[in-house]
Amino acid sequence: MVTVRLWGSLAELVDGKREIEITATNLRELLEGLGEAYPALKPQISRGVSVAIDGRIYNDTWATPINETSEVVLLNRLVGG
Amino acid sequence: MSQIHVKTIINGDASEFLCAADETLLDVLRDRLDLTGSKEGCASGDCGACSVTMDGRLVCACLVLGAEADGTEITTIEGMATGENLHPLQQAFLDHAALQCGICTPGFLVAAKSLLERNPDPTEEETRYWLAGNLCRCTGYDKIVRAVLDAAKIMRETA
Amino acid sequence: MPKDEFTPRTFSVVGTRPLRPDGIDKVTGRARYGADISAPGMLTGMVLRSPHAHARICSIDTSVAAAMPGVKAVITRADFPVHPENNGTADVLDNCMADKKALYDGHAVAAVAASSRRAALDALATIKVVYEVLPHVLDVDEAMKLDAPILHKGRKQEGVPADVSDNVLTRTEYGHGDPEIGFQMADLVIERQFKTAATHQGYIEPHSCLATLGSDGQGDLWVCTQGHYMARNTCAEILGLDSGCLRVTPSEIGGGFGGKTTVFLEPTALLLSQKSGRPVKMTMTREEVFRASGPTASTSIDIKIGMTKDGTITAAKGDYRYQNGAYEAMNGTLGAMTGFAPYDLDHVNTVGWDVVTNRPKAAAYRAPGAPMAAFAVESVIDELAYKLGLDPIEVRLKNAAREGTKSAYGPTYPAIGLEATLKAAKSHPHWSAPLGENQGRGVACGFWFNFGGDTCVSLMVNPDGTVSLSEGNPDIGGSRAAMSMMAAEELGIPMERVRTIIADTAALGQNEVTDGSRVTFAVGLATIKAARHAIQIMVERAAMTWGIDPEAVEWVDGAAQPAGPNAGKHPPMSLAEIAAIASNTGGPISGHFEVNAEGAGVSFGTHIADTEVDPETGAVKIIRYTVFQDAGKAVHPSFVEGQLQGGAVQGIGWALNEEYIYGKDGTLQNAGFLDYRIPVASDLPMIDTAILEIPNPGHPYGVRGVGETGIVPPLAAVANSVSRAAGVRMTSLPMSPPKVLAALKKM
């Protein structure tokens, strides 16, 4: 199981849980698992999220490995100038 | 509307063109004579990207009518280097990394050349005030001012 | 991506200051920007724009215009063939050409292509648009109220409460701990509201493009843009084209700063070209750039911070309300994520609101959303330090985020350089230099993310031993030089033997926009990998020539050589020697690398500003300014300095002069460089820089993006400086002379 930390307003969509657990070994499994386990998160996931894994930010790469000990934090999908 | 016949000297070469009465010198240079080194950043004389000299006087080509160029001598950025030899100001801009995107660079070079023709040994403050009509959004002006001061020094030493 | 981990090494090219390869073209006027190119038979395209801030478009009659001599095409929204399914793309189309409503002063409603600019202007003047003028709203706090005029219905995202209007599209909350507990532990709590005006990126080159599109859907677009792949994909989606049939070539770009990360004219130019059967060139006037491109958000921000007597921050709260113009943008979200990012906080809560108003849609502007947030946060920290009698740098050092800190936006930081910039600032002579009368010194920190994204590089080894490198990101600040340097470093040849070009969309795969400070990081990474790919092939060719195993060959100083005594005695074969016989050893040699460069790092900076306030006029003069920023590894230090100086000066303009000024009727009153005053040379001193190099663990050379962070601290650094010089806390930007004078009089 991987512990995923949600930002505040996402937590409100899943009964105030700031952390949820998902079975996932990579980014694809994580994003799919989140949407299945918590349909309320689906609109935001389809709009786009960034995922910080051990302090580094990932957006797309399905195969990005996630360990059970990884720190996983969902972020709004970032844009830059 | 009939067009106006204008005879002028541009970068040392005799040049003739027809233009409409409301056409600016900048429009003529860019659209009729293919001298696109002078840039249009504002068309209101506020940014200096179209700086050229007219009978030795620094002007914004967007504030001069094409018809007004009749009988005058115009120098643009395209007339600054001599063949493959860059003007010391051009070289100094390269040496000091005084350009990033480069859109304002032709205007700055023409304006700076005009400064050094009048004042070969300007202070930093004089340089900043002379160039205050030229906008640059990339550099914060630091390296531009350094390049102009350095070129002035080189030009004094080799004069 | 462990394989990319930074390994310490010495460099021979990276870190030097060679002349830029695009330099001679740019100092002689030869470089070709968006408006500098023409095509045979070309028409001029121009846009008719709404004079109203908010109006229903009842009807548009273009019949007179269409019949005028020289007019070859007239279009309105009805001529656009498809309605994009994607909300974001639909918004882009709607911003390019209004549908049922004009949402801001300057919103495009029709366009013509004619044989001359005069003919096009005359035609625009005959187009009859019947508007029903609607109430408008420009201010973020007003727009959030339930009785505000509403721009779009049904776009509120989940999580936005019912007690705010439909103009509020998103509400985002970040943080951890419980600030209420933290505030009780504080010796001093300060809560203040801050306002910042909308500003514009102010690139000197207006948007411009030259479009050709045939009835068969094949087209070419020449455009000044930060992302020609973005331009291609967006135009294809809006016009229902196959993106592969549309070739987009980027011009030299005369500044962007985030403002050229979307399209404004391009779909219209392509459609006009298709309708007229002729190439169409469109160039915005400066007035159009101000009215109808993408400025930044204006903001209203509440910040509350508690601090103990020894300078420890016990709790922090922020409410960031951002006015994003007429369509969805996420500046407020980014403000909420970044404001407290420099600090190690036990109790922090931030809420970001993204709100639409009747203004042009905010585009990205260098670290979008972050400078305003930093202004508010750093101002309160400065005031707390001042009132508690503490050194403002010591206070920041005491609370500084470092490796292992849980950031205010969630993740735990890896190695970061904030402390290093603060320590460098503290020990710099600037910090201890004496100040004169009416002068003040301000300090502020700033944070911004780095981006990666889709990136392609191809590297060709030519028969004469030179190298041609193609990248797909417009060169906005010297990236061709930086790529040539990194390729030369890796290949072991002089930089002058590598020429880098920006390839068109048909030459390389997808590339993310030049944004997010990503190019030197991500394209640099792909360049290094493409070079390594070419080296691998060259090593194989040398091994084949020598009849030994490739494993027994290594690449040293630009040549293949046997890896050890057991590999046999062969003199090294240089890159040029291998290239010369490439036809004999299997054919041309090239390396390439395609990647989604994920896992980019973060960046911090600290700025010191000295200002002098004229008590008679309220005018503020910048006396001295120093930037401290972590670059990871500065590939070309002069260009890095240039990024830091340019960012600082844009921030100074934001702090002191720049603002969008609207009339009561909702129309923009200062759409020109005379009245929208960006800093000029005589406003400024030299901008000193100190580049720190704390390697980015995610890049082979340790490179971090440097482009954006430089604009984050200056709003606050200047405000803190002015507040100390004037003896009164300045909470509203710009700190224009009348505002400063009014604050002085209130004391």
Side-chain angles (χ1 to χ4, degrees):
Chain A
M1 295 291 265
V2 178
T3 304
V4 183
R5 205 181 301 151
L6 305 178
W7 72 79
S9 34
L10 274 195
E12 289 164 17
L13 300 175
V14 290
D15 305 325
K17 285 186 223 157
R18 298 301 294 259
E19 291 187 344
I20 52 183
E21 299 218 319
I22 290 290
T23 306
T25 63
N26 61 36
L27 186 62
R28 181 184 192 174
E29 290 169 12
L30 176 80
L31 294 178
E32 286 180 354
L34 277 175
E36 280 165 23
Y38 300 94
L41 298 179
K42 266 190 181 165
Q44 181 61 46
I45 290 171
S46 64
R47 278 194 298 269
V49 290
S50 295
V51 184
I53 303 172
D54 292 327
R56 293 215 210 151
I57 294 171
Y58 298 83
N59 289 317
D60 308 301
T61 305
W62 283 347
T64 306
I66 301 175
N67 303 319
E68 293 208 348
T69 55
S70 295
E71 180 200 57
V72 179
V73 185
L74 281 196
L75 305 172
N76 278 89
R77 178 87 175 201
L78 297 167
V79 298
Chain B
M1 192 162 44
S2 66
Q3 299 210 320
I4 299 164
H5 181 200
V6 177
K7 287 186 184 180
T8 176
I9 295 171
I10 298 181
N11 299 330
D13 296 331
S15 179
E16 290 183 46
F17 55 83
L18 294 172
C19 69
D22 64 351
E23 219 171 313
T24 67
L25 175 59
L26 181 59
D27 293 335
V28 169
L29 291 172
R30 292 182 53 82
D31 300 339
R32 294 187 184 269
L33 303 177
D34 279 339
L35 293 169
T36 54
S38 305
K39 306 301 180 189
E40 181 175 311
C42 66
S44 55
D46 297 315
C47 80
C50 64
S51 298
V52 300
T53 59
M54 190 173 183
D55 290 336
R57 181 181 165 209
L58 182 64
V59 295
C60 290
C62 71
L63 295 185
V64 176
L65 291 172
E68 289 181 276
D70 192 45
T72 71
E73 198 164 326
I74 307 289
T75 309
T76 72
I77 184 64
E78 286 90 347
M80 199 158 173
T82 309
E84 65 175 355
N85 299 314
L86 296 179
H87 187 279
L89 275 163
Q90 292 173 309
Q91 189 60 47
F93 268 56
L94 296 180
D95 293 340
H96 286 264
L99 55 138
Q100 286 179 33
C101 81
I103 191 87
C104 70
T105 307
F108 267 99
L109 286 167
V110 170
K113 181 162 173 269
S114 179
L115 166 66
L116 300 186
E117 281 164 5
R118 283 159 181 75
N119 181 355
D121 190 9
T123 63
E124 180 189 331
E125 190 175 20
E126 286 167 340
T127 304
R128 287 185 178 277
Y129 273 87
W130 183 271
L131 296 176
N134 291 78
L135 301 181
C136 170
R137 195 58 157 172
C138 294
T139 66
Y141 305 103
D142 182 298
K143 293 182 190 302
I144 292 176
V145 173
R146 288 179 200 278
V148 173
L149 294 173
D150 192 37
K153 183 161 169 279
I154 289 165
M155 288 166 70
R156 287 196 304 277
E157 286 167 359
T158 55
Chain C
M1 49 175 81
K3 65 181 185 297
D4 293 326
E5 298 261 316
F6 168 75
T7 43
R9 55 176 289 169
T10 55
F11 295 100
S12 56
V13 183
V14 166
T16 65
R17 301 173 187 246
L19 298 190
R20 57 191 302 148
D22 51 324
I24 289 179
D25 279 352
K26 286 182 172 171
V27 298
T28 56
R30 290 204 304 255
R32 292 192 299 181
Y33 294 83
D36 294 342
I37 200 165
S38 300
M42 184 178 87
L43 303 173
T44 299
M46 297 194 84
V47 174
L48 184 69
R49 298 184 180 279
S50 167
H52 305 296
H54 195 191
R56 186 162 288 113
I57 299 169
C58 304
S59 65
I60 305 178
D61 180 358
T62 60
S63 56
V64 176
M68 286 170 72
V71 174
K72 307 297 180 190
V74 185
I75 61 167
T76 66
R77 178 62 180 272
D79 295 286
F80 283 80
V82 289
H83 186 82
E85 285 173 20
N86 177 299
N87 251 346
T89 313
D91 281 354
V92 174
L93 166 58
D94 213 48
N95 197 28
C96 288
M97 191 62 73
D99 190 6
K100 295 184 172 59
K101 287 205 298 184
L103 293 173
Y104 55 92
D105 166 39
H107 200 166
V109 295
V112 303
S115 53
S116 70
R117 187 162 54 185
R118 173 51 49 202
L121 278 170
D122 290 346
L124 289 182
T126 69
I127 296 176
K128 290 188 190 68
V129 186
V130 178
Y131 294 101
E132 178 199 344
V133 178
L134 303 169
H136 64 270
V137 62
L138 302 168
D139 175 80
V140 63
D141 290 323
E142 292 299 317
M144 291 175 76
K145 291 179 181 166
L146 282 172
D147 59 353
I150 300 300
L151 277 80
H152 312 279
K153 287 217 164 70
R155 291 288 294 271
K156 249 189 193 183
Q157 289 177 8
E158 67 283 355
V160 179
D163 62 353
V164 295
S165 81
D166 271 12
N167 293 324
V168 182
L169 301 193
T170 67
R171 175 189 178 279
T172 312
E173 188 179 352
Y174 279 93
H176 53 256
D178 183 348
E180 296 317 316
I181 295 173
F183 286 128
Q184 286 173 16
M185 289 150 50
D187 294 310
L188 180 61
V189 176
I190 291 180
E191 182 171 15
R192 277 197 183 273
Q193 183 167 103
F194 297 87
K195 305 254 186 186
T196 67
T199 59
H200 194 275
Q201 299 83 355
Y203 35 83
I204 308 301
E205 182 200 28
H207 299 264
S208 183
C209 66
L210 172 62
T212 311
L213 180 62
S215 53
D216 60 355
Q218 301 227 29
D220 285 279
L221 182 67
W222 161 271
V223 58
C224 70
T225 178
Q226 287 177 244
H228 46 306
Y229 290 84
M230 171 280 300
R232 178 194 67 175
N233 299 349
T234 308
C235 289
E237 203 176 335
I238 283 176
L239 297 171
L241 303 171
D242 293 338
S243 69
C245 291
L246 180 59
R247 183 178 66 157
V248 184
T249 307
S251 69
E252 290 294 339
I253 176 167
F257 315 108
K260 292 175 182 168
T261 56
T262 185
V263 296
F264 297 105
L265 299 172
E266 295 84 344
T268 300
L270 284 163
L271 192 55
L272 284 169
S273 172
Q274 192 171 43
K275 298 255 176 220
S276 63
R278 305 261 289 266
V280 173
K281 181 159 143 183
M282 297 186 78
T283 304
M284 280 195 190
T285 63
R286 177 56 52 183
E287 185 188 337
E288 286 179 292
V289 172
F290 277 113
R291 285 173 74 205
S293 65
T296 188
S298 62
T299 72
S300 174
I301 301 172
D302 296 325
I303 297 295
K304 182 177 179 183
I305 301 176
M307 193 177 276
T308 58
K309 281 178 189 155
D310 72 346
T312 304
I313 298 175
T314 59
K317 266 186 91 159
D319 194 67
Y320 302 85
R321 300 174 299 277
Y322 281 44
Q323 171 283 125
N324 288 323
Y327 300 93
E328 182 186 346
M330 62 179 297
N331 293 297
T333 300
L334 291 167
M337 291 174 78
T338 57
F340 291 114
Y343 301 107
D344 183 356
L345 305 170
D346 290 336
H347 302 287
V348 56
N349 174 270
T350 66
V351 177
W353 305 84
D354 283 303
V355 182
V356 292
T357 65
N358 294 111
R359 298 183 184 222
K361 177 194 183 299
Y365 180 16
R366 212 168 193 158
M372 313 79 136
F375 161 59
V377 168
E378 296 289 314
S379 289
V380 174
I381 290 176
D382 190 69
E383 189 174 357
L384 284 162
Y386 183 78
K387 289 192 169 155
L388 291 169
L390 301 169
D391 178 288
I393 292 187
E394 281 300 329
V395 163
R396 287 173 170 84
L397 272 169
K398 196 173 192 65
N399 297 286
R402 43 183 69 83
E403 185 169 0
T405 294
K406 183 176 173 180
S407 68
Y409 61 96
T412 303
Y413 289 123
I416 54 173
L418 174 63
E419 252 184 317
T421 67
L422 280 163
K423 284 180 177 160
K426 175 109 179 141
S427 60
H428 193 277
H430 185 171
W431 187 242
S432 47
L435 287 165
E437 203 183 343
N438 297 320
Q439 295 183 351
R441 176 165 298 142
V443 64
C445 297
F447 161 89
W448 186 244
F449 304 96
N450 275 189
F451 292 61
D454 286 334
T455 307
C456 301
V457 167
S458 283
L459 182 153
M460 281 67 74
V461 179
N462 302 315
D464 66 351
T466 58
V467 169
S468 300
L469 192 146
S470 295
E471 60 152 315
N473 277 89
D475 178 353
I476 206 160
S479 60
R480 276 167 294 194
M483 296 318 140
S484 289
M485 290 172 77
M486 284 187 265
E489 183 75 55
E490 202 62 31
L491 294 167
I493 60 175
M495 179 225 182
E496 294 70 28
R497 292 180 73 80
V498 184
R499 178 159 186 200
T500 300
I501 62 134
I502 314 302
D504 66 44
T505 53
L508 292 170
Q510 170 74 17
N511 284 276
E512 176 57 68
V513 173
T514 293
D515 72 352
S517 308
R518 75 173 215 94
V519 172
T520 310
F521 166 74
V523 185
L525 184 120
T527 295
I528 293 163
K529 295 300 181 68
R532 287 179 185 172
H533 181 211
I535 287 169
Q536 179 202 327
I537 295 167
M538 290 189 284
V539 161
E540 285 165 10
R541 300 294 176 89
M544 181 202 295
T545 308
W546 292 329
I548 65 175
D549 194 280
E551 307 293 310
V553 179
E554 60 184 4
W555 190 262
V556 180
D557 293 336
Q561 65 179 38
N566 296 339
K569 270 199 154 181
H570 303 284
M573 280 182 82
S574 70
L575 181 146
E577 288 166 333
I578 296 169
I581 57 166
S583 298
N584 308 104
T585 59
I589 297 166
S590 67
H592 62 98
F593 194 73
E594 294 78 24
V595 68
N596 182 349
E598 300 251 63
V602 295
S603 165
F604 292 90
T606 298
H607 291 201
I608 307 174
D610 291 359
T611 60
E612 182 173 313
V613 175
D614 183 336
E616 303 292 320
T617 64
V620 174
K621 180 95 184 154
I622 303 285
I623 304 299
R624 186 172 181 181
Y625 202 99
T626 310
V627 178
F628 305 85
Q629 190 173 315
D630 172 18
K633 173 69 196 174
V635 176
H636 191 306
S638 297
F639 294 176
V640 174
E641 290 161 7
Q643 289 295 320
L644 307 190
Q645 291 164 335
V649 168
Q650 284 186 316
I652 288 169
W654 200 333
L656 295 180
N657 302 315
E658 297 178 34
E659 63 179 313
Y660 265 48
I661 299 169
Y662 280 90
K664 282 203 167 59
D665 62 354
T667 60
L668 184 61
Q669 303 294 297
N670 60 335
F673 276 138
L674 187 62
D675 298 316
Y676 182 96
R677 192 177 180 288
I678 73 172
V680 301
S682 55
D683 294 337
L684 297 161
M686 294 297 182
I687 307 294
D688 294 328
T689 58
I691 300 170
L692 303 163
E693 295 188 324
I694 294 98
N696 176 4
H699 186 280
Y701 294 173
V703 168
R704 290 181 202 273
V706 298
E708 292 170 290
T709 305
I711 202 173
V712 182
L715 283 60
V718 174
N720 290 341
S721 170
V722 172
S723 296
R724 287 177 182 242
V728 54
R729 182 56 50 181
M730 299 301 297
T731 57
S732 172
L733 301 187
M735 294 176 284
S736 55
K739 239 187 245 174
V740 174
L741 204 55
L744 285 170
K745 281 191 176 146
K746 255 197 249 169
M747 279 170 65

